[in-house]
Amino acid sequence: MGTAFCNEEKINKMKMKNILVTGANGQLGNEMRVLSLENKEYNYFFTDVAELDICDEKAVMAFVKENEIDVIVNCAAYTAVDKAEDNQELCAKLNSEAVGYLAKAAEENQAEFIQISTDYVFDGTNYVPYRETEPTCPNSVYGVTKLAGEKKALEYCSKAMIIRTAWLYSVFGNNFVKTMIRLGKERESLGVIFDQIGTPTYARDLASAVFAAIRKGIIPGIYHFSNEGVCSWYDFTKSIHRIAGIGNCKVSPLHADEYPAKAPRPHYSVLDKTKIKHTYGIEIPHWEESLEQCIKELNV
């Protein structure tokens, strides 16, 4: 009976899907780690550059083949939007070329591929939420390279899913929420842009959506994901301070042109989530609801 149990355990382990998560030390990668504890039906390989350099095509191909990877979730990216303007080669390598290597490796091993992309593939001139079918028109190096990565993923892998997201934050790494909490405690006043509109995205909610897609099985194509609702960076900051109990810092609205940046930002980048909600049967929380969860976990 003991032997039968052991054999059954081996068979179950053999059937487990092997999931590779690249960029595992970033915001989304870390949230994938957190949720992996609740999704124990899979076998995970969490890698960052020390474990797997995704810019090395041979290393990527070998890793995916040797570990019999069934699903690749690429959370790795060059995300320093302003620095990208001066580091075009490195940005293109990480956001485009490396995506091509992962997509080819996925295709060769009949694996599914989830590529995380961005609202920066749009120029932000819309006035209604962007659907997946809208024409792309990036106006920054970051946006151009991320769009190139999307195209490579879809061209090289027949089981590729692109998830565009925006305004990502979490309890991990450096992000807008953490910065506004720190500045709110350090300063008496703060100016924040009010004429750029979008939707904050809690990385844990995005990770949940990734797992929903893996569970159902990838239906190839482009999808949009952010939390529900709409706000400006100014509104976002006011909510961050309110929830974090910061009351001694006066937050004032600024025009975008009062806060010069090397790379242009989309003025409007609200994403329409209808497709991902219907395809994978997911419900998405309002951004303030998720912000409360994150700040509670930060324990500020």
Side-chain angles (χ1 to χ4, degrees):
M1 196 164 177
T3 309
F5 180 77
C6 285
N7 288 339
E8 191 180 327
E9 198 172 38
K10 280 182 184 176
I11 290 165
N12 286 340
K13 199 161 188 181
M14 284 168 64
K15 287 178 182 174
M16 287 174 81
K17 272 188 178 180
N18 291 325
I19 298 176
L20 166 61
V21 179
T22 59
N25 294 341
Q27 292 190 87
L28 181 57
N30 268 305
E31 296 290 5
M32 289 291 293
R33 283 186 205 263
V34 170
L35 291 188
S36 70
L37 302 175
E38 299 171 15
N39 294 270
K40 294 180 180 177
E41 67 271 35
Y42 306 117
N43 188 37
Y44 299 93
F45 295 84
F46 289 100
T47 68
D48 216 288
V49 66
E51 296 81 26
L52 175 63
D53 180 1
I54 62 169
C55 293
D56 183 336
E57 186 172 13
K58 286 181 181 176
V60 168
M61 197 64 77
F63 191 99
V64 172
K65 189 176 181 181
E66 286 166 19
N67 294 293
E68 298 178 346
I69 300 299
D70 298 297
V71 183
I72 300 172
V73 183
N74 183 30
C75 305
Y78 188 107
T79 56
V81 177
D82 289 322
K83 287 181 181 177
E85 297 295 313
D86 297 318
N87 291 282
Q88 296 187 27
E89 194 177 334
L90 177 58
C91 193
K93 210 169 183 181
L94 263 169
N95 292 348
S96 175
E97 288 172 36
V99 177
Y101 302 155
L102 289 164
K104 285 177 183 176
E107 186 68 15
E108 193 158 306
N109 292 275
Q110 292 85 50
E112 297 173 325
F113 182 39
I114 299 176
Q115 166 65 14
I116 307 301
S117 193
T118 175
D119 58 324
Y120 278 70
V121 300
F122 300 113
D123 62 9
T125 56
N126 250 23
Y127 56 90
V128 292
Y130 281 96
R131 293 184 180 182
E132 293 82 357
T133 51
E134 297 270 351
T136 51
C137 185
N139 54 13
S140 66
V141 169
Y142 172 66
V144 167
T145 58
K146 289 296 285 183
L147 181 58
E150 287 187 9
K151 289 177 178 175
K152 278 184 165 64
L154 294 169
E155 182 185 345
Y156 297 144
C157 182
S158 57
K159 298 177 184 174
M161 173 187 189
I162 310 295
I163 306 179
R164 293 175 182 151
T165 192
W167 297 25
L168 204 64
Y169 70 91
S170 79
V171 296
F172 301 102
N174 298 315
N175 55 65
F176 188 81
V177 172
K178 285 185 173 181
T179 300
M180 290 304 106
I181 289 172
R182 177 177 57 79
L183 292 177
K185 289 178 175 180
E186 290 174 358
R187 299 184 185 179
E188 291 180 0
S189 63
L190 199 57
V192 184
I193 293 168
F194 80 96
D195 56 356
Q196 287 175 359
I197 307 298
T199 310
T201 306
Y202 184 26
R204 191 160 304 169
D205 292 334
L206 176 54
S208 292
V210 169
F211 274 107
I214 292 170
R215 276 192 298 274
K216 179 159 185 175
I218 299 305
I219 297 164
I222 299 170
Y223 297 83
H224 288 171
F225 184 93
S226 69
N227 281 105
E228 297 284 20
V230 177
C231 67
S232 69
W233 293 108
Y234 168 77
D235 299 320
F236 191 19
T237 304
K238 293 286 281 185
S239 288
I240 292 166
H241 285 190
R242 176 180 54 77
I243 295 165
I246 298 168
N248 295 326
C249 178
K250 186 187 177 188
V251 181
S252 303
L254 283 182
H255 287 93
D257 56 16
E258 294 178 78
Y259 190 86
K262 197 150 204 171
R265 268 69 171 166
H267 278 277
Y268 182 94
S269 62
V270 179
L271 301 174
D272 187 308
K273 280 84 67 176
T274 305
K275 184 180 177 183
I276 200 165
K277 287 190 287 189
H278 287 179
T279 304
Y280 295 102
I282 58 174
E283 288 185 19
I284 304 175
H286 188 271
W287 67 265
E288 281 194 303
E289 188 184 323
S290 292
L291 179 62
E292 283 182 14
Q293 273 190 358
C294 181
I295 291 176
K296 187 178 179 183
E297 195 166 325
L298 281 168
N299 198 22
V300 292

